[in-house]
Amino acid sequence: MEYKIIGQTLDDAVGEAFDKVARMLGLPYPGGPQISRLAKEQRAKENHFFVGRNFSAEKLAQSSGRRSAESPKKILSFTLPRPMLHSKNFDFSFSGLKTAVLYLIRDLGGIEKINEETKAQIAFEFENAAIECLVHKTAKAIEKYK
């Protein structure tokens, strides 16, 4: 079987980005499970599931069997970028997303001023941003090469 590389990371792998963001939030290594745990707790607490910027909450609600009145709504006062989401290729870049988290933490007064709920909200939004990029690029590749 032959493989062809159609996309790759231009800088950090997604797992490395998870680890570095976890370190910024004062979470232990490995960071991926820690970020996901906080994001899952935030999702459950707010009765939300994954909603990316480019996914209609209405469509997601319909596909999950929820009525539109039960659709998730935006709960955070901040959003993080979705790097290279609309580039014409299948490549990824997560360094800008990590930098956005760093600046967000700085703008919120530094890690020592951030409470656990805000950490969970940052983890939730970071996970959504990173995963949205992966899902979007994978779906584009499937569509092109099906």
Side-chain angles (χ1 to χ4, degrees), residues 15-67:
E16 186 177 352
F18 270 78
D19 290 340
K20 289 181 179 179
V21 168
R23 188 176 332 128
M24 289 179 214
L25 293 173
L27 301 172
Y29 183 85
Q34 302 301 321
I35 294 282
S36 291
R37 177 186 55 78
L38 285 177
K40 182 179 179 181
E41 289 171 6
Q42 185 67 25
R43 208 169 276 115
K45 182 178 179 181
E46 301 291 343
N47 195 25
H48 288 256
F49 54 95
F50 171 78
V51 177
R53 287 185 191 172
N54 295 297
F55 293 94
S56 159
E58 182 69 27
K59 282 183 188 174
L60 285 173
Q62 289 171 355
S63 69
S64 70
R66 290 181 173 189
R67 293 186 315 269

Side-chain angles (χ1 to χ4, degrees), residues 65-98:
R66 290 181 173 189
R67 293 186 315 269
S68 60
E70 298 172 318
S71 296
K73 56 186 181 258
K74 191 74 177 144
I75 59 164
L76 305 177
S77 59
F78 54 83
T79 59
L80 293 171
R82 273 61 173 165
M84 297 184 67
L85 194 65
H86 299 292
S87 66
K88 303 257 186 248
N89 57 37
F90 304 115
D91 292 334
F92 301 96
S93 174
F94 295 104
S95 64
L97 180 55
K98 289 184 327 190

Side-chain angles (χ1 to χ4, degrees), residues 109-130:
I111 193 63
E112 56 282 337
K113 303 264 182 174
I114 296 175
N115 62 29
E116 292 304 310
E117 177 153 351
T118 303
K119 278 186 187 182
Q121 289 175 343
I122 293 169
F124 174 75
E125 176 62 8
F126 170 76
E127 184 177 79
N128 280 352

